[in-house]
Amino acid sequence: MSVHTKSAIGIDIGSRMTKIVRICGGTVTDAEMFDTGHNPLVELSAVMRGLNGDIVVATGYGRKLVQAPFSCGAVTEIKACARGARHLCPDCDSVIDIGGQDTKAIELGKNGGFGRFEMNDRCAAGTGRFLEVMASALGYTIENFGEEALSADMPVHVNSMCTVFAESEVVSLIMRGEDRRRIALGLHMATVRRVAAMASRITVGGRILFAGGVANNPGIGALLRDELSCELVVPERPEFVVALGAALIGLQGV
């Protein structure tokens, strides 16, 4: 069976969300996403019963959890992210992926490979979870958090990037009567500066693919584009880039 006719399923089990992509004949036929929760195998089994794939490849934090139950291969997130990014944006030079609890900057190599990469430390500062907690503290939804930040006329400086301490600082700023939108802008700018500092340790620039659920936040995208002085490409479904990459690797053989 050629790669043009067989199908493959990529499973990206992240700390916050699990994403599943099925491709067949070079076309994405299915894309599913659900909360990873404490036992993702139950919902994953239900989703997989409705999908047929000649090969299954898992990636993400939970990739080893699903290898035996689904008899699948496994690859690192870095490898899967690079493969998915290269497929979606063949002329991109690098990729920045901000997920639920980690951030990655990866140099893209030729033919879907990768070069140097950087990841955040174990702290979740500046990740999707950090932004969720800050949006809730300010009374915003995660969907409108970025737009509210961009509507501010100036930022309020936020000192802490630790999720716990930053939430306390945000509450204190609200009690002092600071404008919520200005606080939101300050949080977005602090997040972008942190990501840019990490990305600066490798070669990023030119065209960068922005992957991960945080890429849906227009505030982070706009500020990151300015901070890095680059062309930032956001795919239609940025949260599925890594799962797509796993499926593509499956088609070619893990």
Side-chain angles (χ1 to χ4, degrees), residues 28-95:
V28 174
T29 61
D30 300 89
E32 304 275 351
M33 182 169 62
F34 58 86
D35 289 334
T36 297
H38 69 282
N39 186 8
L41 291 180
V42 174
E43 188 155 0
L44 183 57
S45 296
V47 173
M48 292 295 284
R49 279 194 291 273
L51 299 175
N52 294 315
D54 298 308
I55 186 168
V56 180
V57 177
T59 187
Y61 283 103
R63 60 184 182 273
K64 294 183 179 178
L65 179 69
V66 303
Q67 271 191 282
F70 296 98
S71 301
C72 63
V75 296
T76 68
E77 290 174 84
I78 300 296
K79 184 175 182 179
C81 186
R83 184 67 186 86
R86 177 59 76 207
H87 176 80
L88 292 171
C89 189
D91 60 347
C92 273
D93 305 296
S94 51
V95 55

Side-chain angles (χ1 to χ4, degrees), residues 220-232:
I220 295 295
L223 294 169
L224 192 59
R225 189 176 290 111
D226 291 344
E227 185 73 19
L228 295 174
S229 299
C230 67
E231 182 180 353
L232 201 65

